[in-house]
Amino acid sequence: MNDEFDFSTGLPSSEMSQYLQLFLDETSEQLDALVESLLVLESHPTDAEQLNEAFRLIHSIKGSAGMMGLDGITVLTHHLENHFERLRSGLQTLDERALGLILRCIDFLRECNRRLRAGTPLASAPELLDELNGLAVAPEGGLPTPTPAAAQPPAPSVAAVVSSAEPEPVVLAAVVPAPTASTPTGRGPVTVASHDVDYLIVVTFEPELPLADLKAELVLARLAEIAAVRETWPLRDELANVSALTTLQVLLSSDHPETELRSAADVDGVRAVEAVAGAREFLELEPSESAEPKATAPTAAPTAAVAWVSAAPQIASAEAVTVPVADHVEDRSAHIAVADVVTPTAVAEASGAEPRSRVAETVRVDIGRLDRLMNLAGELVVNKARFVQIARQMSPVFKKTGAAGRVRSFGDSMRRALQLMKTQAAAHSGESAANWDSQIQELEAGIEALEEQSRLWEASRRSFTQFHEAIDQMSRVSNSLQRGVLETRMVPVAPLFNRFKRVVRDISLELGKRVNLEIHGEHTELDKRMIDELGDPLVHLVRNAIDHGIESSEVRRRAGKPETGAIRLSAAHSGNNVLISVADDGGGIPVEKVRRRIVERGLVAESVAEGLSEREVVDFIWHPGFSTADAVSDISGRGVGMDIVKTRIAELNGTIEIEHVAGAGTTFTIRLPLTLAIIHSLLFRLRHGVFAVPIDNVREIVSVPVKQVVSIHGRQTFEVRGEFIPLVDIDEIFDWHKTQYQYPGSVSRTAESVGDRWNVVILQSSEKTMGLKVNELQGGQDIVIKSLAENFVHIRGLSGASILGDGSVCLLLDVAAAIALAAGRGKKNREE
Amino acid sequence: MPKRVLVIDDALIMRMRIKEIALESGWEIAGEATNGEQGLALYQELRPDLVTLDIVMPKMDGVAALRQIRELDPAAKVVMVSAVDQKGKLAECIRLGAMDFIVKPFDKARLQGFFVKYGRDADSAATARIREANAREEQAT
């Protein structure tokens, strides 16, 4: 790991590519959380908890990136981590410059994720690394960046070697840990018993093992549990200073079998363990060739060896060792007694905080799979509808309850009649008698067949009742299944909303305005796909609110408002809809300014503009190419935002409305269906077939006397409670009367009046209304929407199609587009 | 009977990787936890043969979790899985009785070797103890 790392080759190693999706999901969340931490730190730069949290998040990203083999990300996060380490330890404080830089690093990491998702090579960011390194140069004169221990330069100073040559304390400290440093759970040394055997254990580590010195410590600690470690080479205190440590030799006494000693020494990273038993005098403990600290000063090894020899006699004295050990053991048992009392409650508390979730984990599922599942659940619902329809068609046959009884009594009276015929027939003879007989037999067979049929019918009737029950059962299950699948797609809006803390911060800094963001209802759940699509429109709205809505602090002060403006982002459920609103406490929409602007832009003639109502003027905000900003700022004011916002929301089958109070603020409210996949709709029949409109777009259904339809400016119009509403035929929307295809028996109009009245559905979208003539209303139904664009072609005015119970296709009207189309066509027709 | 491991790490990808390698090496996954607190509770519930424990985690870090797990069960076998720059904390973990540590990022072979080693290790120690006991009995008779 070093600074001149080449970022361009940073794609995940092939072995790990199966984890890429997980990596991206997890780190994206971690980056979001990191931004949140940073925003808290911005106002409380020394908040220890947040510093720890940020450090942890970065550390975690670094770890995951390391596993993925994404070295570029690892290097960057390593440097970030270093900086947070300095912040945590209080050596530096988070200043504005560092914060900005860290945020840019986060942006870069997000960009990395985006590229990884797209499969493109990662960009390089040497300047970020340089700047991060620049941060390290603290006023205190430069702090050493924590470098990996393996890379730590060894070279123990002569002084260190000399001091370690002092015999007693060094080795004793290594063998017996000071009582204060140990805990009840720590490792306890073993007392030396008389029947102990001496061993020489030689442990060989893998070459270039990271943290080999710690591994050596580990081996010693593990051995100390079952043996009394007498001497080690290298000396325990010097382990950290030995570069490329490959061999550890340990002289110890133990009554445990050799195999246990071997396995205690055989930790991860150990290549071989040798154990030699024998009297201590015969065991030689000498620095081996491979263990010689080559890179260090050549004097180090001999000096250590001298120290070793001089230390040996001191250790040989058994009392010197056992006395402190006995103390320690006593100390230890006391601890355990206390621990036994304390532990259960401590653990109960811990387990209470996190209820026994065995694997407290959510499953990450590719949204494509959920889509397929949703589709299948939808098909099931459609099939269920077919069953219901078939059952409905069958029910008249089985509903007539008395029918079987009537057949039976009919059979009985026929038999009686036959009996009469038989007595009559007996009076005849010859050919006539044979004739009678065959007639009677034929009738008898007929009666039997009828009765048989009646029995079958009776049995079927019972089956039909069961069939009904089965359909009911299936309906319940398929509805639950559909709801269940829907719920799996629902995620809280919180992550989306939380992104705006950063957005608001950045924009308000850039514009020099003071703005607070309030978030409400962040637990409201919405279809995941919808949340993904909502980001951009919301950013536009929030930018717009800060740029145009919130006034400068001077203006606010003069108006008697708090100098800091407020943006409120909220979400809430409303029936089958979710409402998401962006509100500001700014100056509201300057209606007269907008009115002037639409004239300037040539959107309407001045005379027309003067006659427009306030609401009509405000509606021009959605007009493509409209902008009221005096200066085109970097953030908004290019006039490309609001019309796109509206289009994007409409694509989600949603609507957006503006409410504003002059001087007090503006609220944009987005109304979205809970999901894109299922829409509660009103179905009606036209001559072409069945159509549906989302129930949210239906204002009311009226019956309009033909005589009351009047023509205004060449458009058919009718009156409802004093309001004039245009009346259109589906053909006017789609121009179908101009096509070559003629429906059988169709005249110029596809809808027919019933008697002398029209059935009219009044459709509404963003406060525009239109009456649509329909032939027959079929009621409300949840329909599963299939995309027309994916399966056929996109048709303006239609937002999709669905398959109905009878297997026929039903088209779903896109009401906003249909109203616009009808208005356009009406105009064109008048001009012609 | 396969040995059971409890995986404690706040990074999903780490847990996935460790679990995958453990399973391939013939271990069973006793459970997994995303922080020390949860890990401690699960340790008490599941009593696994082995714990892999991350150091930097939310709520309760690996050092504290190790301390408490060892308090709960002084025979607990806990392996620290940590980045190289947590050396100070690793040293503390060794003092607290961690049985081993693995440096992140690790390659597959290392962790695999590790699981194989400790899957066998405990066995051989147990057999050794039995053999030793038998030998003592023989001597006594």
Side-chain angles (χ1 to χ4, degrees), chain B residues 51-72:
Chain B
V51 179
T52 71
L53 184 56
D54 182 21
I55 289 187
V56 182
M57 286 189 297
K59 286 195 181 166
M60 182 196 284
D61 76 353
V63 181
L66 172 68
R67 185 178 289 123
Q68 297 212 34
I69 287 175
R70 298 272 300 171
E71 248 171 54
L72 187 71

PDB file of all heavy atoms in Angstrom, chain B residues 51-72:
ATOM      1  N   VAL B  51     -15.475 -18.557  17.633  1.00  0.00           N
ATOM      2  CA  VAL B  51     -16.044 -17.255  17.280  1.00  0.00           C
ATOM      3  C   VAL B  51     -15.018 -16.522  16.420  1.00  0.00           C
ATOM      4  O   VAL B  51     -13.837 -16.501  16.769  1.00  0.00           O
ATOM      5  CB  VAL B  51     -16.331 -16.406  18.539  1.00  0.00           C
ATOM      6  CG1 VAL B  51     -16.884 -15.051  18.156  1.00  0.00           C
ATOM      7  CG2 VAL B  51     -17.261 -17.124  19.485  1.00  0.00           C
ATOM      8  N   THR B  52     -15.454 -15.951  15.294  1.00  0.00           N
ATOM      9  CA  THR B  52     -14.576 -15.013  14.594  1.00  0.00           C
ATOM     10  C   THR B  52     -15.085 -13.619  14.938  1.00  0.00           C
ATOM     11  O   THR B  52     -16.273 -13.345  14.835  1.00  0.00           O
ATOM     12  CB  THR B  52     -14.574 -15.204  13.070  1.00  0.00           C
ATOM     13  OG1 THR B  52     -15.814 -14.770  12.553  1.00  0.00           O
ATOM     14  CG2 THR B  52     -14.318 -16.654  12.688  1.00  0.00           C
ATOM     15  N   LEU B  53     -14.172 -12.768  15.383  1.00  0.00           N
ATOM     16  CA  LEU B  53     -14.582 -11.491  15.961  1.00  0.00           C
ATOM     17  C   LEU B  53     -13.812 -10.341  15.325  1.00  0.00           C
ATOM     18  O   LEU B  53     -12.581 -10.335  15.308  1.00  0.00           O
ATOM     19  CB  LEU B  53     -14.323 -11.551  17.476  1.00  0.00           C
ATOM     20  CG  LEU B  53     -14.749 -10.387  18.355  1.00  0.00           C
ATOM     21  CD1 LEU B  53     -16.219 -10.081  18.194  1.00  0.00           C
ATOM     22  CD2 LEU B  53     -14.443 -10.694  19.815  1.00  0.00           C
ATOM     23  N   ASP B  54     -14.573  -9.399  14.792  1.00  0.00           N
ATOM     24  CA  ASP B  54     -14.015  -8.168  14.213  1.00  0.00           C
ATOM     25  C   ASP B  54     -13.675  -7.231  15.387  1.00  0.00           C
ATOM     26  O   ASP B  54     -14.204  -7.395  16.478  1.00  0.00           O
ATOM     27  CB  ASP B  54     -15.097  -7.561  13.307  1.00  0.00           C
ATOM     28  CG  ASP B  54     -14.629  -6.310  12.598  1.00  0.00           C
ATOM     29  OD1 ASP B  54     -13.406  -6.128  12.470  1.00  0.00           O
ATOM     30  OD2 ASP B  54     -15.484  -5.533  12.162  1.00  0.00           O
ATOM     31  N   ILE B  55     -12.801  -6.260  15.169  1.00  0.00           N
ATOM     32  CA  ILE B  55     -12.481  -5.355  16.281  1.00  0.00           C
ATOM     33  C   ILE B  55     -13.278  -4.059  16.213  1.00  0.00           C
ATOM     34  O   ILE B  55     -13.944  -3.670  17.164  1.00  0.00           O
ATOM     35  CB  ILE B  55     -10.962  -5.080  16.352  1.00  0.00           C
ATOM     36  CG1 ILE B  55     -10.261  -6.355  16.831  1.00  0.00           C
ATOM     37  CG2 ILE B  55     -10.668  -3.934  17.338  1.00  0.00           C
ATOM     38  CD1 ILE B  55      -8.792  -6.222  17.105  1.00  0.00           C
ATOM     39  N   VAL B  56     -13.234  -3.397  15.057  1.00  0.00           N
ATOM     40  CA  VAL B  56     -13.932  -2.110  14.961  1.00  0.00           C
ATOM     41  C   VAL B  56     -15.387  -2.374  14.579  1.00  0.00           C
ATOM     42  O   VAL B  56     -15.684  -2.764  13.458  1.00  0.00           O
ATOM     43  CB  VAL B  56     -13.256  -1.200  13.924  1.00  0.00           C
ATOM     44  CG1 VAL B  56     -13.958   0.136  13.884  1.00  0.00           C
ATOM     45  CG2 VAL B  56     -11.785  -1.025  14.271  1.00  0.00           C
ATOM     46  N   MET B  57     -16.273  -2.189  15.535  1.00  0.00           N
ATOM     47  CA  MET B  57     -17.696  -2.453  15.303  1.00  0.00           C
ATOM     48  C   MET B  57     -18.517  -1.453  16.104  1.00  0.00           C
ATOM     49  O   MET B  57     -18.028  -0.905  17.086  1.00  0.00           O
ATOM     50  CB  MET B  57     -18.068  -3.866  15.782  1.00  0.00           C
ATOM     51  CG  MET B  57     -17.577  -4.973  14.889  1.00  0.00           C
ATOM     52  SD  MET B  57     -18.271  -6.553  15.396  1.00  0.00           S
ATOM     53  CE  MET B  57     -17.578  -6.726  17.019  1.00  0.00           C
ATOM     54  N   PRO B  58     -19.767  -1.218  15.682  1.00  0.00           N
ATOM     55  CA  PRO B  58     -20.607  -0.310  16.470  1.00  0.00           C
ATOM     56  C   PRO B  58     -21.071  -0.976  17.767  1.00  0.00           C
ATOM     57  O   PRO B  58     -20.940  -2.183  17.930  1.00  0.00           O
ATOM     58  CB  PRO B  58     -21.785  -0.018  15.551  1.00  0.00           C
ATOM     59  CG  PRO B  58     -21.851  -1.187  14.634  1.00  0.00           C
ATOM     60  CD  PRO B  58     -20.443  -1.705  14.489  1.00  0.00           C
ATOM     61  N   LYS B  59     -21.622  -0.180  18.634  1.00  0.00           N
ATOM     62  CA  LYS B  59     -22.226  -0.593  19.917  1.00  0.00           C
ATOM     63  C   LYS B  59     -21.198  -1.143  20.911  1.00  0.00           C
ATOM     64  O   LYS B  59     -20.967  -0.567  21.938  1.00  0.00           O
ATOM     65  CB  LYS B  59     -23.360  -1.608  19.702  1.00  0.00           C
ATOM     66  CG  LYS B  59     -24.584  -0.935  19.150  1.00  0.00           C
ATOM     67  CD  LYS B  59     -25.805  -1.816  19.279  1.00  0.00           C
ATOM     68  CE  LYS B  59     -27.006  -1.091  18.690  1.00  0.00           C
ATOM     69  NZ  LYS B  59     -28.141  -1.925  18.465  1.00  0.00           N
ATOM     70  N   MET B  60     -20.640  -2.324  20.574  1.00  0.00           N
ATOM     71  CA  MET B  60     -19.615  -2.850  21.471  1.00  0.00           C
ATOM     72  C   MET B  60     -18.501  -3.359  20.571  1.00  0.00           C
ATOM     73  O   MET B  60     -18.752  -4.146  19.665  1.00  0.00           O
ATOM     74  CB  MET B  60     -20.208  -3.993  22.300  1.00  0.00           C
ATOM     75  CG  MET B  60     -19.223  -4.576  23.304  1.00  0.00           C
ATOM     76  SD  MET B  60     -19.777  -6.180  23.928  1.00  0.00           S
ATOM     77  CE  MET B  60     -21.039  -5.690  25.069  1.00  0.00           C
ATOM     78  N   ASP B  61     -17.282  -2.858  20.783  1.00  0.00           N
ATOM     79  CA  ASP B  61     -16.229  -3.269  19.862  1.00  0.00           C
ATOM     80  C   ASP B  61     -15.708  -4.664  20.216  1.00  0.00           C
ATOM     81  O   ASP B  61     -16.133  -5.281  21.196  1.00  0.00           O
ATOM     82  CB  ASP B  61     -15.103  -2.216  19.794  1.00  0.00           C
ATOM     83  CG  ASP B  61     -14.189  -2.253  21.004  1.00  0.00           C
ATOM     84  OD1 ASP B  61     -14.497  -2.990  21.953  1.00  0.00           O
ATOM     85  OD2 ASP B  61     -13.174  -1.539  20.990  1.00  0.00           O
ATOM     86  N   GLY B  62     -14.805  -5.156  19.373  1.00  0.00           N
ATOM     87  CA  GLY B  62     -14.357  -6.533  19.506  1.00  0.00           C
ATOM     88  C   GLY B  62     -13.611  -6.789  20.801  1.00  0.00           C
ATOM     89  O   GLY B  62     -13.722  -7.874  21.386  1.00  0.00           O
ATOM     90  N   VAL B  63     -12.873  -5.783  21.274  1.00  0.00           N
ATOM     91  CA  VAL B  63     -12.091  -5.973  22.492  1.00  0.00           C
ATOM     92  C   VAL B  63     -13.038  -6.182  23.671  1.00  0.00           C
ATOM     93  O   VAL B  63     -12.898  -7.133  24.451  1.00  0.00           O
ATOM     94  CB  VAL B  63     -11.180  -4.757  22.741  1.00  0.00           C
ATOM     95  CG1 VAL B  63     -10.361  -4.981  23.997  1.00  0.00           C
ATOM     96  CG2 VAL B  63     -10.265  -4.519  21.548  1.00  0.00           C
ATOM     97  N   ALA B  64     -14.048  -5.313  23.761  1.00  0.00           N
ATOM     98  CA  ALA B  64     -15.009  -5.426  24.856  1.00  0.00           C
ATOM     99  C   ALA B  64     -15.780  -6.734  24.739  1.00  0.00           C
ATOM    100  O   ALA B  64     -16.030  -7.420  25.741  1.00  0.00           O
ATOM    101  CB  ALA B  64     -15.959  -4.239  24.842  1.00  0.00           C
ATOM    102  N   ALA B  65     -16.149  -7.086  23.508  1.00  0.00           N
ATOM    103  CA  ALA B  65     -16.921  -8.316  23.310  1.00  0.00           C
ATOM    104  C   ALA B  65     -16.082  -9.520  23.715  1.00  0.00           C
ATOM    105  O   ALA B  65     -16.576 -10.433  24.381  1.00  0.00           O
ATOM    106  CB  ALA B  65     -17.348  -8.430  21.848  1.00  0.00           C
ATOM    107  N   LEU B  66     -14.810  -9.514  23.355  1.00  0.00           N
ATOM    108  CA  LEU B  66     -13.920 -10.616  23.714  1.00  0.00           C
ATOM    109  C   LEU B  66     -13.855 -10.751  25.238  1.00  0.00           C
ATOM    110  O   LEU B  66     -13.967 -11.837  25.790  1.00  0.00           O
ATOM    111  CB  LEU B  66     -12.520 -10.371  23.141  1.00  0.00           C
ATOM    112  CG  LEU B  66     -11.449 -11.359  23.594  1.00  0.00           C
ATOM    113  CD1 LEU B  66     -11.712 -12.743  23.017  1.00  0.00           C
ATOM    114  CD2 LEU B  66     -10.063 -10.876  23.180  1.00  0.00           C
ATOM    115  N   ARG B  67     -13.693  -9.591  25.895  1.00  0.00           N
ATOM    116  CA  ARG B  67     -13.571  -9.603  27.352  1.00  0.00           C
ATOM    117  C   ARG B  67     -14.818 -10.250  27.961  1.00  0.00           C
ATOM    118  O   ARG B  67     -14.730 -11.122  28.815  1.00  0.00           O
ATOM    119  CB  ARG B  67     -13.391  -8.173  27.865  1.00  0.00           C
ATOM    120  CG  ARG B  67     -13.138  -8.104  29.376  1.00  0.00           C
ATOM    121  CD  ARG B  67     -12.920  -6.693  29.857  1.00  0.00           C
ATOM    122  NE  ARG B  67     -11.643  -6.144  29.439  1.00  0.00           N
ATOM    123  CZ  ARG B  67     -11.488  -5.034  28.737  1.00  0.00           C
ATOM    124  NH1 ARG B  67     -12.547  -4.356  28.344  1.00  0.00           N
ATOM    125  NH2 ARG B  67     -10.303  -4.603  28.409  1.00  0.00           N
ATOM    126  N   GLN B  68     -15.978  -9.824  27.451  1.00  0.00           N
ATOM    127  CA  GLN B  68     -17.221 -10.325  28.050  1.00  0.00           C
ATOM    128  C   GLN B  68     -17.480 -11.780  27.696  1.00  0.00           C
ATOM    129  O   GLN B  68     -18.008 -12.537  28.507  1.00  0.00           O
ATOM    130  CB  GLN B  68     -18.396  -9.442  27.613  1.00  0.00           C
ATOM    131  CG  GLN B  68     -18.222  -8.034  28.118  1.00  0.00           C
ATOM    132  CD  GLN B  68     -19.556  -7.370  28.414  1.00  0.00           C
ATOM    133  OE1 GLN B  68     -20.497  -8.014  28.836  1.00  0.00           O
ATOM    134  NE2 GLN B  68     -19.617  -6.077  28.195  1.00  0.00           N
ATOM    135  N   ILE B  69     -17.118 -12.153  26.480  1.00  0.00           N
ATOM    136  CA  ILE B  69     -17.331 -13.545  26.093  1.00  0.00           C
ATOM    137  C   ILE B  69     -16.443 -14.451  26.955  1.00  0.00           C
ATOM    138  O   ILE B  69     -16.868 -15.488  27.446  1.00  0.00           O
ATOM    139  CB  ILE B  69     -17.031 -13.746  24.593  1.00  0.00           C
ATOM    140  CG1 ILE B  69     -18.146 -13.125  23.737  1.00  0.00           C
ATOM    141  CG2 ILE B  69     -16.902 -15.232  24.249  1.00  0.00           C
ATOM    142  CD1 ILE B  69     -17.890 -13.160  22.246  1.00  0.00           C
ATOM    143  N   ARG B  70     -15.213 -14.002  27.176  1.00  0.00           N
ATOM    144  CA  ARG B  70     -14.298 -14.816  27.983  1.00  0.00           C
ATOM    145  C   ARG B  70     -14.731 -14.834  29.450  1.00  0.00           C
ATOM    146  O   ARG B  70     -14.449 -15.786  30.166  1.00  0.00           O
ATOM    147  CB  ARG B  70     -12.870 -14.285  27.864  1.00  0.00           C
ATOM    148  CG  ARG B  70     -12.314 -14.344  26.458  1.00  0.00           C
ATOM    149  CD  ARG B  70     -11.647 -15.655  26.139  1.00  0.00           C
ATOM    150  NE  ARG B  70     -10.530 -15.938  27.029  1.00  0.00           N
ATOM    151  CZ  ARG B  70      -9.896 -17.098  27.072  1.00  0.00           C
ATOM    152  NH1 ARG B  70     -10.262 -18.082  26.269  1.00  0.00           N
ATOM    153  NH2 ARG B  70      -8.907 -17.283  27.901  1.00  0.00           N
ATOM    154  N   GLU B  71     -15.392 -13.755  29.875  1.00  0.00           N
ATOM    155  CA  GLU B  71     -15.910 -13.734  31.239  1.00  0.00           C
ATOM    156  C   GLU B  71     -17.039 -14.738  31.374  1.00  0.00           C
ATOM    157  O   GLU B  71     -17.146 -15.461  32.349  1.00  0.00           O
ATOM    158  CB  GLU B  71     -16.461 -12.340  31.565  1.00  0.00           C
ATOM    159  CG  GLU B  71     -15.665 -11.588  32.603  1.00  0.00           C
ATOM    160  CD  GLU B  71     -16.140 -10.154  32.697  1.00  0.00           C
ATOM    161  OE1 GLU B  71     -17.356  -9.932  32.889  1.00  0.00           O
ATOM    162  OE2 GLU B  71     -15.293  -9.255  32.562  1.00  0.00           O
ATOM    163  N   LEU B  72     -17.855 -14.761  30.336  1.00  0.00           N
ATOM    164  CA  LEU B  72     -19.009 -15.646  30.300  1.00  0.00           C
ATOM    165  C   LEU B  72     -18.544 -17.104  30.229  1.00  0.00           C
ATOM    166  O   LEU B  72     -19.094 -17.977  30.873  1.00  0.00           O
ATOM    167  CB  LEU B  72     -19.826 -15.291  29.049  1.00  0.00           C
ATOM    168  CG  LEU B  72     -21.164 -15.941  28.823  1.00  0.00           C
ATOM    169  CD1 LEU B  72     -22.159 -15.386  29.819  1.00  0.00           C
ATOM    170  CD2 LEU B  72     -21.641 -15.635  27.400  1.00  0.00           C
TER     171      LEU B  72
END
